[in-house]
């Protein structure tokens, strides 16, 4: 049974519409892995090769080997991320080995931010960050289309204002 399915919620007829992240997020994260692996390989191999000898420079192969191992894990992690909007709250589910499901009530949201760094903008991605009164419950949804991120921000802000008016 899948996490967050209607059978698990216990609410009959409460059909969740889960939305995933854009595939471009996988490309961005793999690009970052490749760049960091190359930088670490050069930073490891060059000093060791010059100071300790060519045999020690073989340690420069360690970052690319670790990057190759992470290459496939990036896609598994990307597939685990999803979110669903319900009547009173937002569900965010993520995790491969340790599943984590965050429920953010609309009335508890204080701030909804949309951010997009230079690499994210190049790949057409944005991140939605939700801030609540409790610091431990801040939630993030990375890898969204910028238009979807803005729509989600506007909807969450509107619902948050409506729900918090009664508090």
């Amino acid at each position: 049974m899948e996490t967050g399915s209607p059978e698990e919620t216990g609410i009959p007829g409460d059909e969740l519409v889960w939305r995933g992240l854009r595939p471009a997020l996988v490309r961005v994260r793999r690009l970052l892995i490749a760049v960091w692996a190359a930088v670490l390989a050069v930073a490891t191999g060059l000093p060791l090769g010059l100071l300790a000898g060519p045999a020690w420079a073989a340690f420069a192969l360690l970052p690319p080997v670790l990057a190759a191992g992470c290459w496939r894990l990036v896609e598994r992690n990307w597939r685990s991320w999803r979110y669903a909007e319900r009547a009173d709250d937002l569900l965010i589910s993520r995790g491969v080995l340790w599943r984590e499901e965050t429920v953010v009530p609309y009335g508890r949201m204080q701030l909804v931010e949309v951010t997009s760094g230079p690499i994210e903008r190049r790949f057409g991605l944005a991140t939605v960050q939700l801030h609540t009164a409790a610091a431990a419950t801040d939630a993030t949804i990375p890898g969204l289309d910028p238009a979807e991120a803005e729509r989600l921000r506007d909807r969450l802000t509107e619902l948050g204002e409506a729900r918090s008016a009664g508090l």
Side-chain angles (χ1 to χ4, degrees):
M1 181 179 291
E2 206 170 282
T3 302
S5 65
E7 293 79 23
E8 271 188 30
T9 61
I11 303 169
D14 184 24
E15 304 250 349
L16 291 177
V17 179
W18 289 102
R19 297 174 187 229
L21 307 180
R22 292 195 55 205
L25 184 63
V26 174
R27 292 194 310 269
V28 168
R29 289 187 174 170
R30 284 180 173 169
L31 173 69
L32 291 174
I33 286 173
V35 167
W36 277 108
V39 167
L40 289 174
V42 170
T44 303
L46 193 60
L48 285 176
L50 292 174
L51 300 173
W56 287 95
F59 279 104
L61 296 175
L62 190 59
V65 168
L66 291 174
C70 292
W71 195 263
R72 188 163 172 205
L73 295 177
V74 167
E75 187 171 351
R76 288 187 64 197
N77 180 271
W78 167 77
R79 287 186 192 281
S80 75
W81 276 85
R82 58 193 183 150
Y83 67 98
E85 300 170 62
R86 294 195 306 187
D88 295 323
D89 50 32
L90 177 73
L91 297 175
I92 302 171
S93 178
R94 64 190 169 276
V96 177
L97 293 177
W98 287 272
R99 300 282 305 158
E100 184 175 332
E101 191 165 300
T102 304
V103 179
V104 183
Y106 297 135
R108 299 291 181 200
M109 289 184 206
Q110 292 183 332
L111 176 67
V112 181
E113 289 182 309
V114 175
T115 59
S116 186
I119 296 173
E120 286 179 309
R121 281 194 308 270
R122 170 69 178 92
F123 285 88
L125 297 172
T127 299
V128 173
Q129 173 110 25
L130 308 164
H131 299 279
T132 61
T137 59
D138 289 352
T140 303
I141 306 173
L144 296 175
D145 180 63
E148 169 65 9
E150 290 177 14
R151 182 204 66 82
L152 191 59
R153 178 200 59 208
D154 294 342
R155 184 171 191 287
L156 294 177
T157 302
E158 178 183 312
L159 288 169
E161 289 173 356
R163 299 293 195 279
S164 66
L167 295 178

